[in-house]
Amino acid sequence: MAFEQKIKELLDKRGEARIGGGQKGIDKQHEQGKLTARERIALLLDEGSFEEFDMFVTHRCTNFDMQKKSYLGDGVVTGYGTINGRMVYVFAQDFTVLGGSLSETMALKICKVMDQAMKVGAPVIGLNDSGGARIQEGINALAGYAEIFERNILASGVVPQISAIFGPCAGGSVYSPALTDFIFMSKQNSYMFLTGPKVVKTVTGEDVTVDKLGGAMVHATKSGVAHFVGETEESTIQTIRELVGFIPSNNFEEAPMVATNDPIDRLEDHLNSIIPENPNEAYDVKDIIHAIVDDGQFLEVHENWAKNLVVGFAHMGGMSVGVVANQPKAMAGVLDCNSSRKGARFVRFCDAFNIPLVTLVDVPGFLPGTGQEYNGVINHGAKFLYAYGEATVPKVTVTLRKSYGGAHIVMSCKQLRSDINYAWPTAQIAVMGASGAIEVLQGRALKEITDPEEKAKFIAEKEKEYNDLFANPYNAAKYGYIDDVIEPRNTRFRVIRALQALQTKKDSLPMKKHCNLPL
Ligand code: HXC
């Protein structure tokens, strides 16, 4: 074959691979408002940075005449590229090829990028759009999934793993995204479930739509499976790019420092009066977060789930930080099963990837009741406690207002190896709030007072006595549990100074095979 012909053959083959399952499939994808695998990769990576692997791989199945349905590249596009100049490995399932269903060779392609990402220490981003295991391949498809899952497990805590769902993700295939650090879903066309509506109907008799069973909003608000939800595929991909900017490429790296023009000593006068006079009145803790971080930029994780705890990424003085804050605006900021799970997972991610934690505390305690106890609030709360106590990254805590009981301990108290603990003058650090404490301590005396007016007077007196002792930060500061009481308007400066001081922090855990946190 002449040289020109060989080049033409290569270009023809590349062209064939680039249209995946064919133009008809691409058109169908577009009609449904979906992008193709290659369009998604183009949006995700810096322009012109994508280097593709395995364009010429085809499946090896001959069952059911499958050799007649063979496509170059099979149902996944794989390779590496950059996001704002930083290397990431990527795979994008191609629904136009047999519904993106996973074959043995597709699994090998995905495993190849995962293995290389591990060798060079770069994040792996998977864009999912697939009908699940390729039915014609039987056990080989299942084995392929298992190979991927094992790599997800080995890569966990070594390189960041991010999944996005842009179509179906059903059956056991949900477990690869579930093993990764973050799941993104777009509101259009994405769904995740273990068993589809038909099986649900057969087994439980329940009638449910695909969207109600596993749509993006279900997982963003009810199950907490989705960490981020985007209006469109484009905006979802932009948020993935944003997230990558906050995190290091692997567990041996520090998170990238960014240049900022935001002065570290910027005073925020309004913070001096942000805490309401009435201790039971709510305020929005996100106003405080936006005021203290660089340029007010905060990337919230799990924005729509367990809203009583706010978690997310920001920069402070150019450093990446993970912010964890009780939210008085939702359920008074109480801790419960879901917020504990949310907090624990976030703290562990930050700790695994060397991202310092900034904790803002205003917590009245754990939510009481059978609903919580029956759902295992003891175990879930213990996860959050464990995560903070285990974390060795720099930990800076600011108590804004209430910090009561077990929740005080969980929220990065000094004895959980938090490094620097500040409090605002409005802080109240105690075993419980005044009214609860008086009920317990004065129960017998209260029973003996029959006159309602006299009773109210007695309660008010006792509450005052209790509040004088505990409704302030100085009692805790007296014991050194609080390192300093700071002016709220100066919080940004004090936290950044603390983070700078802790940049060379080294702390360790006893040798062990692995921990046994209360899962
Ligand atoms: C082989 C598949 C396939 C699959 C879809 N296709 N899923 N081929 N194996 N799992 C093929 C279809 O035959 C069709 O081929 C093409 O992909 C497009 O599919 P459509 O059905 O036409 O598309 P749509 O109407 O958009 O429906 C999408 C869908 C549906 C909802 C995903 O295809 C579907 O229900 N698929 C099966 C889902 C499923 O049950 N998967 C197995 C889950 S169990 P042609 O040639 O007609 O274009 C599992 C176990 C994993 O995954 C365990 C891991 C531990």
Side-chain angles (χ1 to χ4, degrees):
M1 202 190 283
F3 185 71
E4 290 80 22
Q5 268 174 316
K6 284 186 188 273
I7 300 289
K8 184 174 177 310
E9 185 189 30
L10 168 67
L11 296 180
D12 286 349
K13 276 186 184 291
R14 282 194 192 282
E16 190 186 330
R18 285 200 181 102
I19 59 162
Q23 194 56 45
K24 247 171 86 181
I26 295 175
D27 293 343
K28 191 174 167 200
Q29 191 87 341
H30 288 158
E31 276 159 29
Q32 292 175 341
K34 290 166 72 178
L35 298 173
T36 64
R38 285 172 195 281
E39 288 164 345
R40 289 168 184 152
I41 289 178
L43 281 173
L44 177 70
L45 301 178
D46 298 337
E47 205 180 332
S49 71
F50 183 48
E51 294 286 344
E52 187 169 345
F53 297 147
D54 290 340
M55 247 185 162
F56 309 118
V57 161
T58 53
H59 72 72
R60 310 188 260 222
C61 176
T62 51
N63 303 331
F64 308 102
D65 264 349
M66 277 296 280
Q67 66 277 11
K68 293 181 185 157
K69 285 190 174 181
S70 186
Y71 302 89
L72 284 185
D74 209 352
V76 67
V77 181
T78 58
Y80 64 87
T82 58
I83 292 182
N84 294 321
R86 290 175 56 218
M87 169 85 83
V88 296
Y89 279 75
V90 60
F91 65 88
Q93 292 165 336
D94 182 352
F95 194 84
T96 69
V97 176
L98 300 162
S101 55
L102 189 107
S103 64
E104 172 209 8
T105 44
M106 268 173 71
L108 289 173
K109 282 182 71 170
I110 293 171
C111 290
K112 188 190 271 187
V113 286
M114 294 177 85
D115 290 343
Q116 289 215 8
M118 282 287 274
K119 280 186 204 158
V120 303
V124 180
I125 303 173
L127 310 179
N128 296 266
D129 184 2
S130 161
R134 189 166 296 166
I135 296 162
Q136 297 90 330
E137 295 206 5
I139 186 66
N140 286 335
L142 296 187
Y145 268 122
E147 293 283 356
I148 296 170
F149 298 166
E150 180 63 29
R151 281 166 178 78
N152 287 133
I153 293 161
L154 296 178
S156 181
V158 180
V159 293
Q161 301 182 82
I162 296 170
S163 303
I165 316 297
F166 291 135
C169 184
S173 55
V174 296
Y175 283 119
S176 175
L179 289 166
T180 64
D181 298 302
F182 295 105
I183 296 182
F184 288 70
M185 292 182 81
S186 72
K187 276 191 192 167
Q188 307 158 328
N189 297 313
S190 77
Y191 52 90
M192 289 180 87
F193 39 66
L194 266 175
T195 45
K198 282 185 192 148
V199 178
V200 172
K201 174 82 183 158
T202 316
V203 177
T204 70
E206 193 185 356
D207 267 314
V208 66
T209 62
V210 161
D211 214 38
K212 273 242 162 86
L213 186 62
M217 284 319 285
V218 164
H219 288 307
T221 60
K222 290 186 193 300
S223 70
V225 165
H227 299 82
F228 296 93
V229 52
E231 290 296 325
T232 61
E233 291 190 21
E234 287 86 347
S235 64
T236 310
I237 291 172
Q238 278 315 307
T239 315
I240 299 177
R241 287 179 59 91
E242 217 182 304
L243 173 66
V244 169
F246 287 103
I247 60 184
S249 297
N250 58 65
N251 62 333
F252 285 106
E253 270 187 16
E254 300 298 317
M257 273 290 283
V258 296
T260 177
N261 291 323
D262 195 352
I264 68 164
D265 56 355
R266 172 167 51 78
L267 291 176
E268 286 292 329
D269 288 335
H270 76 282
L271 293 185
N272 274 5
S273 54
I274 199 166
I275 302 291
E277 287 285 329
N278 176 352
N280 297 323
E281 204 177 303
Y283 61 91
D284 189 346
V285 80
K286 288 191 216 173
D287 291 341
I288 299 175
I289 298 171
H290 287 127
I292 65 172
V293 301
D294 291 354
D295 305 307
Q297 296 292 317
F298 177 57
L299 179 64
E300 189 169 354
V301 179
H302 271 144
E303 184 179 356
N304 299 294
W305 182 62
K307 291 182 178 181
N308 37 336
L309 190 80
V310 176
V311 301
F313 297 101
H315 290 111
M316 293 191 80
M319 293 169 278
S320 269
V321 292
V323 180
V324 181
N326 308 111
Q327 173 56 290
K329 230 179 81 167
M331 298 162 69
V334 77
L335 287 181
D336 61 354
C337 295
N338 286 348
S339 58
S340 296
R341 285 169 55 207
K342 169 174 167 175
R345 182 118 179 104
F346 183 74
V347 165
R348 294 194 97 226
F349 175 83
C350 291
D351 187 48
F353 290 105
N354 313 318
I355 299 173
L357 289 161
V358 173
T359 305
L360 305 179
V361 184
D362 187 348
V363 65
F366 273 96
L367 184 63
T370 51
Q372 289 296 307
E373 298 291 353
Y374 293 177
N375 278 303
V377 69
I378 294 173
N379 277 342
H380 297 306
K383 283 176 194 156
F384 200 9
L385 173 68
Y386 198 115
Y388 263 124
E390 184 188 41
T392 54
V393 285
K395 294 184 274 192
V396 179
T397 306
V398 183
T399 302
L400 311 174
R401 186 168 64 173
K402 296 169 197 169
S403 185
Y404 292 158
H408 157 79
I409 297 170
V410 170
M411 293 302 298
S412 202
C413 74
K414 200 79 181 162
Q415 294 75 17
L416 291 185
R417 299 198 294 174
S418 175
D419 299 292
I420 299 189
N421 288 50
Y422 291 136
W424 284 7
T426 41
Q428 307 171 13
I429 302 167
V431 172
M432 59 174 72
S435 56
I438 300 314
E439 288 281 333
V440 177
L441 297 179
Q442 303 297 338
R444 204 174 306 149
L446 281 168
K447 261 192 216 147
E448 282 162 15
I449 308 173
T450 46
D451 176 46
E453 226 170 85
E454 204 183 314
K455 197 175 206 166
K457 198 168 152 240
F458 177 80
I459 290 173
E461 263 169 31
K462 290 293 171 196
E463 283 192 1
K464 184 176 178 315
E465 189 187 339
Y466 185 88
N467 282 333
D468 285 346
L469 187 61
F470 292 129
N472 63 66
Y474 301 105
N475 194 49
K478 187 169 84 180
Y479 298 102
Y481 301 151
I482 292 294
D483 297 295
D484 198 5
V485 181
I486 63 172
E487 242 197 289
R489 68 185 187 136
N490 203 21
T491 303
R492 170 176 165 78
F493 181 64
R494 297 300 297 269
V495 171
I496 292 175
R497 293 272 296 168
L499 291 167
Q500 287 172 339
L502 293 166
Q503 265 181 327
T504 51
K505 174 187 172 183
K506 292 228 173 343
D507 207 343
S508 60
L509 296 165
M511 284 292 290
K512 52 180 106 175
K513 184 174 177 192
H514 59 69
C515 69
N516 187 20
L517 83 169
L519 289 173

